[in-house]
Amino acid sequence: MDDDPVFKALADPTRRHLLDRLFERDGRTLTELESELEMTRFGVMKHLRVLEAAGLVVTRRQGREKLHYLNPVPIRLIHDRWITKYAEHRVAVLADLKSELEETA
Amino acid sequence: MSTMTAAATQVYSVFVRATPEQLWAAITKPEFTRKYFYGSVFDSTYEAGAKYCGFSAENGEQYIDGEIVEATAPTKLVTTWRATWTEALAAEPPSRVTWEIEPAGEGVSKLTVVHDRLEDSPATAESVGGGWSYVLSGMKSVVETGKALED
């Protein structure tokens, strides 16, 4: 439930590439994803397992097929927990600077 | 033609430190939804066939028009779903939203939202894309800390 598996999953270029492929077209089979990577089926499966463990990929069965979906929520959680916090601080610093400069002007 | 088409089936999932009953309340009770669902409250008796309409708690503007397909507390809620926050969206046919709740270990539940049947509602599919992530992240915050994200 913590952020570590998400950061670890995102720290690999192949896994980020897989997420981008799913972002372009969601709900794909392993075979479809494999056809877009220069990698063995086993290698792709391994990466998908890491993404799934981190919650970034969710699989659902449709008939005989197992479809892989991008789950953007963990990235949103990182955004809300980490990005917003520091970005807002930066904005606040600039706002303070602006008012200070305007006061002394 | 754009290569980016929002998917006709979208899946969103989050782990929350809560019981399934707490999550069910967070989905169905206005005092929770208004804190994370763009200020919306949902009017429904949560029985199959009942209306399921989302309104702005602030000004009463209707955002979502739907019907309960299945309501099995505290594990599954299925509704039809027509976005009404723009005329273009409201003109599209209803899609379907399924909330699934399952226990996921000590004090933790997994919530999955599947928004599907969006094949004939491409503008809706596009419009809800980032929204569900925001909603689920906000819900997690409200349920776990009692605080909305904006606080």
Side-chain angles (χ1 to χ4, degrees):
Chain A
M1 256 194 62
D2 54 37
D3 296 338
D4 283 1
V6 183
F7 281 116
K8 277 179 192 151
L10 290 173
D12 179 273
T14 306
R15 290 197 285 269
R16 292 197 299 272
H17 181 71
L18 278 167
L19 292 181
D20 277 344
R21 299 278 71 77
L22 289 175
F23 183 81
E24 269 172 26
R25 196 155 50 80
D26 213 357
R28 300 215 227 181
T29 62
L30 172 62
T31 307
E32 280 175 81
L33 288 167
E34 186 195 343
S35 70
E36 294 194 7
L37 277 104
E38 301 269 322
M39 190 179 271
T40 63
R41 190 177 178 86
F42 180 74
V44 178
M45 275 171 68
K46 219 174 79 185
H47 284 302
L48 283 172
R49 264 205 301 273
V50 175
L51 288 167
E52 211 179 328
L56 289 162
V57 165
V58 175
T59 59
R60 312 225 9 128
R61 290 226 154 256
Q62 195 181 72
R64 294 175 58 190
E65 288 185 324
K66 186 171 156 190
L67 303 181
H68 297 77
Y69 290 91
L70 169 68
N71 176 29
V73 182
I75 294 175
R76 177 77 211 198
L77 293 173
I78 282 177
H79 168 269
D80 293 341
R81 162 69 180 85
W82 294 99
I83 317 285
T84 314
K85 180 175 162 187
Y86 294 105
E88 271 176 5
H89 176 66
R90 195 65 60 84
V91 170
V93 168
L94 287 177
D96 288 350
L97 180 65
K98 178 178 152 62
S99 56
E100 215 166 286
L101 288 174
E102 282 171 352
E103 268 169 36
T104 52
Chain B
M1 202 185 111
S2 161
T3 51
M4 253 305 301
T5 345
T9 297
Q10 302 179 18
V11 184
Y12 302 88
S13 167
V14 68
F15 288 91
V16 184
R17 275 181 220 285
T19 62
E21 289 76 14
Q22 286 170 315
L23 279 183
W24 184 264
I27 296 166
T28 55
K29 304 267 184 219
E31 60 266 36
F32 290 108
T33 62
R34 62 186 304 163
K35 286 190 192 158
Y36 68 83
F37 212 118
Y38 297 96
S40 306
V41 291
F42 290 84
D43 187 16
S44 181
T45 58
Y46 295 98
E47 289 161 334
K51 294 292 281 178
Y52 174 75
C53 298
F55 300 90
S56 157
E58 209 164 295
N59 59 24
E61 190 193 334
Q62 189 172 353
Y63 293 151
I64 294 147
D65 181 56
E67 219 174 73
I68 304 286
V69 178
E70 180 191 334
T72 311
T75 55
K76 195 173 183 187
L77 176 68
V78 187
T79 76
T80 63
W81 215 89
R82 192 169 60 90
T84 55
W85 58 84
T86 73
E87 273 179 40
L89 298 179
E92 291 190 333
S95 50
R96 179 175 69 175
V97 170
T98 302
W99 303 76
E100 293 166 355
I101 302 165
E102 46 192 311
E106 194 73 15
V108 176
S109 301
K110 183 184 183 185
L111 170 65
T112 304
V113 171
V114 180
H115 196 157
D116 64 358
R117 299 195 181 165
L118 284 158
E119 285 82 357
D120 299 318
S121 307
T124 304
E126 186 70 46
S127 188
V128 300
W132 282 115
S133 294
Y134 169 79
V135 163
L136 294 192
S137 175
M139 176 199 262
K140 180 178 165 74
S141 174
V142 167
V143 171
E144 291 182 352
T145 70
K147 279 191 227 155
L149 281 175
E150 291 88 332
D151 287 1

